[in-house]
Amino acid sequence: MTECQALKKLHMYPQNCRMRGGARKGSKKSPKLIMKTRSVICFTVTDVYDYFRALLKNDEKSDRAFTLTAEAIELNAANYTVWHYRRVLLQALEKDLREEMRYITAIIEDQPKNYQVWHHRRMVVEWLNDPSEELEFIAEILSQDAKNYHAWQHRQWVLKEYKLWDSELEYVEQLLEEDVRNNSAWNQRHYVISHTTGYSDPSILNREVQYSLKQIKKAPHNESVWNYLKGILQDRGLSSHPGLLEQILELKETHCSPYLLGFLVDIYEDSLENTSGDQVEVLSKALELCELLAQERDTIRREYWSYVGRSLQTKYCSGDPSTTSSAPETDRGSASVSVHQETTCNS
Amino acid sequence: MESVSSPLRCFGECHTAEKYTDDGVETVTSVEQRKVERSIQEVVSVYKQIHSLPQPTLLRDQHYQYLKKGLRHLSDAYECLDASRPWLCYWILHSLELLEEPVPTAIASDVCKFLAQCQSPTGGFAGGPCQAAHLAPTYAAVNALCIIGTQEAYNIIDREKLLSFLFSVKQPDGSFVMHIGGEVDVRSTYCAASVASLTNIMTPTLFQDTPTWIVSCQNWEGGLGGVPGLEAHGGYTFCGMAALVILGKEHMLDLKSLLRWVASRQMRYEGGFQGRCNKLVDGCYSFWQAGLLPLLHRALFKGGDSTLSLQKWMFEQQALQEYILLCCQNPAGGLLDKPGKSRDFYHTCYCLSGLSVAQHFGNMDLHHELIVGREENRLAPSHPVYNICPEKVAQAIQHFHQLPVPHEGEAPNRLS
């Protein structure tokens, strides 16, 4: 279609076109909510470019251009150029942003895994400076897919930008109640606490440790909670938390898992790193666990656990005061370094 | 070089024991995971029945036909990727180079001409002709042109304008938006670093504060999220790590936690990788996740680590190859996420890229191969940072380093 032809077809658009309702192309779901019938002149994406080229050439900022963006978006909601043009028009034509919120709400419901739609919503919320619908809307999307990455990203932005922290921990707990394995919820827990009370307060930290241990007892093979426990304790040193090692060793009897064993390795490693004095026993236990994980309990990670064992052995082997050997050349003509250190440890 | 025609891991008697333990507490996560495991079990069991001797086969011819056709003509189903057409070029060309299938000169030239039409007059490449420049298709276009590797291809890139495009999307905090008026996330830093380093347009200030910003995306899990605060995710983690490697700043990350996180993303039953903790396996993470291990290996080695293996990456290479070969191939050509999903060029590219990572350990000096199934399954090695073949990387860098770095004259900072 030439520009001339395109402009001709656009004459009197959208009034001059057939009305249509029906399944939207690109929809992931069936058309449960057709907002209103729309006129259609864009049948293919080629049509889209033909029309837009004609409009952009004249830098047209009109209502018909605005209506056209909606059609283009319907054909391909990932067309970021069209979304940007729509935003330019929203401002130039001083369109009703509340109506735009309704529009973008419907689009996101239909295609919640698209970058552009969430970014567009963020822009409209910013222009309106009104986040009042956001937490409820995002919760609705998350109720359909509790791990939607874009939804969580938008939520974190809203919380931080507008300081709406008050009910978020409660919301996170509700999600974890529904699915204790929801890693996004665990991440959100960390996000909320980090941005509010922080983890420095011992009573907060202890509360979180207790909460985690409680969840571990309920479902010991849930990797998320083990990662969370490590995540909140690692900066202060796993081995420094009083009584933790004992609690984990106790759990080992009845609630064992590869994650528990890995956590023990982490505690022992931290102890080796941060405790002075004879650590031969600790090293020995750590190495034994690495071997157990590599050979039996977590064999998919055999190469990794073997490496951890070798590293610990090299670093903490008694009688070997240096922690690292001198850095090998980056360009090695031939492999002359043996894979396993031959140091023997007094055990 | 090792060829595994012997026991498949997924045929072993211990394999069933690797299934998910839900502790009697059913949630959406555990229900979904078990569904996938059942479908994998089905695939493996069918395979056992048909093949008395396990020799997983890469369906080279079928994939080749699928790719060859896609480069010329895509069905209406691809309208949803109409703003990602350079991606389609890259996914298909890279898949073909991994399969060591040459691209006819005429077609290569046509691709060049098409990508030239995608280049924006203000620099960078767009998702298609007449669209706005965007870092993702810019990354894809530059990679595609480097795969083609002819003078014609290299000459398409307007380096001066590309540099000004990169400056135009650069943010004061070190991050980049994906396009003017667009969103920020860590993908943008990888796209920018990749094209800037390949085409030799890195200036002293272009990536100022970028490493610090990327590092702020590393979270309590050890992996990286899309922006600071978000859940650790394989795609974003790869982008952040690879960008830092390009910028020479990988040691700013906590490499040990990152290693622990990514190693933990390999699924004990399926053998493939998940994108995030407690989510499902997906063939594309064969590259985004497994591809981190070569980067980590190199980073740890550079940092003086003498305990690294000289033969294997720190993931189960055999298990990953089995997952891809048994579960991710469409019999009519093309690869996919997991059984039951449709094929597409994105998954074809990244499943094959992951297969290549799993087959090849080392670099030019030290190379150890582990091929599951027939020897013919062997793919070309891929560069772990750029994900195009190493020869093409070297050739491009050599070409563009003969040209001067364009003058900085940055565009005024345009915020979204």
Side-chain angles (χ1 to χ4, degrees):
Chain A
M1 208 193 315
T2 63
E3 264 157 46
C4 203
Q5 288 167 329
L7 286 170
K8 267 201 193 137
K9 281 202 174 183
L10 282 169
H11 181 63
M12 296 288 288
Y13 171 77
Q15 302 91 293
N16 62 334
C17 297
R18 292 185 275 118
M19 304 306 265
R20 176 186 85 143
R24 292 201 282 256
K25 257 183 151 186
S27 284
K28 303 291 180 256
K29 309 180 185 178
S30 59
K32 56 175 184 179
L33 268 182
I34 305 295
M35 297 292 293
K36 46 183 158 191
T37 50
R38 287 166 310 286
S39 58
V40 174
I41 57 169
C42 292
F43 294 100
T44 68
V45 292
T46 321
D47 292 338
V48 171
Y49 297 126
D50 290 339
Y51 293 125
F52 275 114
R53 217 175 7 253
L55 295 173
L56 287 170
K57 196 175 185 195
N58 306 320
D59 195 25
E60 180 170 325
K61 296 194 173 75
S62 65
D63 252 309
R64 71 179 181 179
F66 185 73
T67 309
L68 200 64
T69 62
E71 287 206 30
I73 282 163
E74 200 191 335
L75 281 179
N76 178 16
N79 192 322
Y80 59 89
T81 306
V82 172
W83 279 109
H84 184 246
Y85 188 41
R86 187 178 175 91
R87 285 192 284 277
V88 167
L89 293 171
L90 276 169
Q91 303 210 283
L93 303 174
E94 295 179 333
K95 301 295 274 184
D96 181 351
L97 293 179
R98 298 278 167 203
E99 193 177 332
E100 189 67 3
M101 279 297 286
R102 289 191 285 276
Y103 171 74
I104 195 63
T105 296
I107 303 274
I108 294 176
E109 285 274 9
D110 192 47
Q111 299 186 62
K113 291 197 171 183
N114 163 308
Y115 281 98
Q116 286 70 37
V117 300
W118 286 98
H119 181 68
H120 189 75
R121 188 185 180 98
R122 174 168 159 164
M123 298 304 304
V124 178
V125 168
E126 275 183 4
W127 289 341
L128 283 170
N129 196 32
D130 178 10
S132 62
E133 293 175 21
E134 296 318 280
L135 295 183
E136 190 180 329
F137 170 70
I138 301 164
E140 158 63 25
I141 298 294
L142 289 173
S143 72
Q144 296 159 42
D145 173 3
K147 303 180 185 182
N148 182 322
Y149 206 82
H150 302 283
W152 283 113
Q153 183 166 354
H154 188 71
R155 195 174 183 91
Q156 288 195 347
W157 171 74
V158 169
L159 290 168
K160 189 171 183 199
E161 188 71 16
Y162 299 99
K163 301 175 178 34
L164 297 171
W165 303 104
D166 290 353
S167 311
E168 192 65 3
L169 189 57
E170 188 185 322
Y171 176 67
V172 164
E173 292 217 348
Q174 177 205 317
L175 289 183
L176 288 174
E177 188 61 38
E178 287 166 18
D179 184 355
V180 71
R181 301 177 177 100
N182 184 341
N183 198 66
S184 308
W186 283 104
N187 181 68
Q188 191 72 349
R189 190 178 184 96
H190 194 278
Y191 185 75
V192 171
I193 294 174
S194 304
H195 281 83
T196 53
T197 57
Y199 288 93
S200 310
D201 181 348
S203 68
I204 302 282
L205 187 59
N206 200 51
R207 179 197 76 194
E208 291 303 297
V209 171
Q210 293 317 310
Y211 180 80
S212 304
L213 290 171
K214 184 171 152 205
Q215 303 311 324
I216 285 170
K217 283 172 189 145
K218 276 196 220 163
H221 289 79
N222 173 15
E223 190 184 342
S224 292
V225 62
W226 285 103
N227 293 346
Y228 182 75
L229 187 56
K230 176 163 69 135
I232 62 177
L233 290 173
Q234 61 194 0
D235 289 340
R236 275 156 210 88
L238 290 182
S239 61
S240 69
H241 199 86
L244 183 65
L245 174 60
E246 288 69 31
Q247 284 187 287
I248 304 295
L249 287 171
E250 206 179 298
L251 277 174
K252 186 166 174 269
E253 301 311 306
T254 48
H255 297 74
C256 200
S257 69
Y259 314 115
L260 184 147
L261 298 174
F263 196 86
L264 278 175
V265 172
D266 294 329
I267 298 181
Y268 292 141
E269 180 169 11
D270 184 69
S271 172
L272 289 166
E273 179 79 25
N274 296 309
T275 317
S276 52
D278 191 11
Q279 293 282 296
V280 166
E281 272 298 305
V282 175
L283 177 62
S284 166
K285 283 186 191 144
L287 293 178
E288 198 182 308
L289 283 168
C290 289
E291 182 76 5
L292 179 65
L293 285 159
Q295 301 305 333
E296 199 185 308
R297 304 294 188 88
D298 202 20
T299 59
I300 191 79
R301 274 165 276 285
R302 177 180 299 129
E303 284 301 318
Y304 171 73
W305 291 116
S306 302
Y307 164 76
V308 172
R310 289 196 304 274
S311 299
L312 289 174
Q313 189 153 42
T314 305
K315 194 169 180 188
Y316 298 108
C317 188
S318 51
D320 183 357
S322 67
T323 50
T324 48
S325 39
S326 54
E329 303 288 287
T330 26
D331 306 271
R332 292 187 302 172
S334 59
S336 56
V337 177
S338 62
V339 173
H340 300 283
Q341 294 291 318
E342 294 299 332
T343 45
T344 47
C345 292
N346 304 322
S347 56
Chain B
M1 186 254 295
E2 246 177 278
S3 186
V4 185
S5 59
S6 44
L8 294 187
R9 180 186 167 267
C10 60
F11 283 14
E13 46 185 45
C14 294
H15 187 233
T16 331
E18 299 285 16
K19 279 185 154 186
Y20 196 82
T21 314
D22 73 3
D23 302 313
V25 178
E26 266 192 13
T27 65
V28 170
T29 300
S30 62
V31 166
E32 291 306 302
Q33 176 59 25
R34 287 176 70 156
K35 271 190 209 163
V36 169
E37 287 179 359
R38 265 197 299 279
S39 79
I40 303 301
Q41 182 177 31
E42 185 63 29
V43 166
V44 171
S45 142
V46 165
Y47 189 86
K48 255 189 210 165
Q49 284 163 38
I50 300 177
H51 303 92
S52 47
L53 272 171
Q55 271 281 65
T57 305
L58 178 66
L59 304 171
R60 286 181 157 276
D61 292 334
Q62 291 87 328
H63 298 322
Y64 175 60
Q65 293 308 321
Y66 173 64
L67 291 161
K68 190 171 126 182
K69 182 159 180 245
L71 200 50
R72 287 253 75 135
H73 172 82
L74 292 171
S75 71
D76 291 344
Y78 274 89
E79 279 191 343
C80 61
L81 282 170
D82 188 68
S84 298
R85 290 174 71 190
W87 273 117
L88 286 157
C89 295
Y90 164 67
W91 294 329
I92 295 171
L93 286 174
H94 181 52
S95 301
L96 288 169
E97 75 170 343
L98 288 171
L99 289 166
E100 293 179 299
E101 298 284 358
V103 178
T105 328
I107 296 186
S109 187
D110 282 347
V111 173
C112 287
K113 293 185 177 73
F114 173 71
L115 290 174
Q117 291 192 294
C118 294
Q119 187 161 221
S120 163
T122 47
F125 290 81
C130 304
Q131 297 178 36
H134 186 297
L135 278 170
T138 299
Y139 164 84
V142 170
N143 262 8
L145 291 167
C146 289
I147 292 173
I148 293 170
T150 58
Q151 291 299 310
E152 180 192 1
Y154 296 145
N155 291 341
I156 303 284
I157 304 169
D158 184 331
R159 295 163 68 244
E160 286 73 21
K161 295 241 176 79
L162 178 57
L163 181 59
S164 77
F165 171 61
L166 295 182
F167 273 115
S168 77
V169 288
K170 177 80 189 290
Q171 302 300 291
D173 66 354
S175 65
F176 289 79
V177 292
M178 294 298 291
H179 62 98
I180 302 289
E183 72 275 15
V184 168
D185 63 54
V186 76
R187 292 173 299 156
S188 63
T189 64
Y190 172 58
C191 294
S194 180
V195 305
S197 56
L198 284 173
T199 62
N200 188 29
I201 59 173
M202 305 246 291
T203 72
T205 59
L206 182 56
F207 292 104
Q208 207 158 58
D209 298 321
T210 303
T212 315
W213 188 85
I214 298 174
V215 168
S216 73
C217 293
Q218 181 168 34
N219 78 347
W220 57 275
E221 300 174 79
L224 278 67
V227 297
L230 282 176
E231 194 183 358
H233 180 295
Y236 294 117
T237 304
F238 178 85
C239 288
M241 173 87 191
L244 286 172
V245 168
I246 293 171
L247 300 174
K249 298 280 195 275
E250 63 268 36
H251 287 277
M252 290 173 65
L253 286 168
D254 180 344
L255 295 175
K256 290 281 154 79
S257 324
L258 177 46
L259 174 60
R260 169 67 73 93
W261 177 81
V262 64
S264 302
R265 302 284 66 77
Q266 188 166 20
M267 309 300 279
R268 61 183 66 252
Y269 184 75
E270 301 92 299
F273 279 78
Q274 64 188 174
R276 303 180 248 167
C277 181
N278 266 327
K279 288 211 76 181
L280 301 175
V281 72
D282 182 332
C284 70
Y285 293 115
S286 307
F287 178 74
W288 300 121
Q289 298 283 36
L292 280 163
L293 288 143
L295 297 177
L296 280 163
H297 204 103
R298 184 175 168 278
L300 291 166
F301 182 73
K302 267 177 81 182
D305 195 321
S306 57
T307 60
L308 293 163
S309 168
L310 289 175
Q311 304 213 315
K312 299 208 165 137
W313 304 121
M314 281 185 277
F315 72 93
E316 235 291 357
Q317 290 168 238
Q318 182 180 343
L320 179 59
Q321 292 187 48
E322 287 179 24
Y323 176 68
I324 296 169
L325 292 170
L326 267 63
C327 303
C328 297
Q329 295 193 87
N330 182 310
L335 291 99
L336 37 101
D337 164 354
K338 58 171 70 65
K341 301 280 184 165
S342 319
R343 65 185 182 175
D344 60 54
F345 295 108
Y346 165 83
H347 282 94
T348 301
C349 173
Y350 291 105
C351 284
L352 289 176
S353 301
L355 185 57
S356 172
V357 170
Q359 289 177 343
H360 299 282
F361 170 85
N363 55 22
M364 244 92 76
D365 303 325
L366 186 66
H367 192 193
H368 187 89
E369 287 180 8
L370 186 141
I371 314 290
V372 167
R374 310 168 59 203
E375 172 52 28
E376 289 76 14
N377 293 350
R378 184 191 183 279
L379 293 173
S382 193
H383 193 293
V385 170
Y386 301 98
N387 200 25
I388 65 177
C389 288
E391 306 77 38
K392 296 294 165 74
V393 173
Q395 198 186 299
I397 288 180
Q398 205 244 349
H399 169 85
F400 288 107
H401 271 78
Q402 289 166 357
L403 305 171
V405 178
H407 188 71
E408 229 179 64
E410 50 254 62
N413 239 318
R414 266 181 269 160
L415 299 171
S416 46

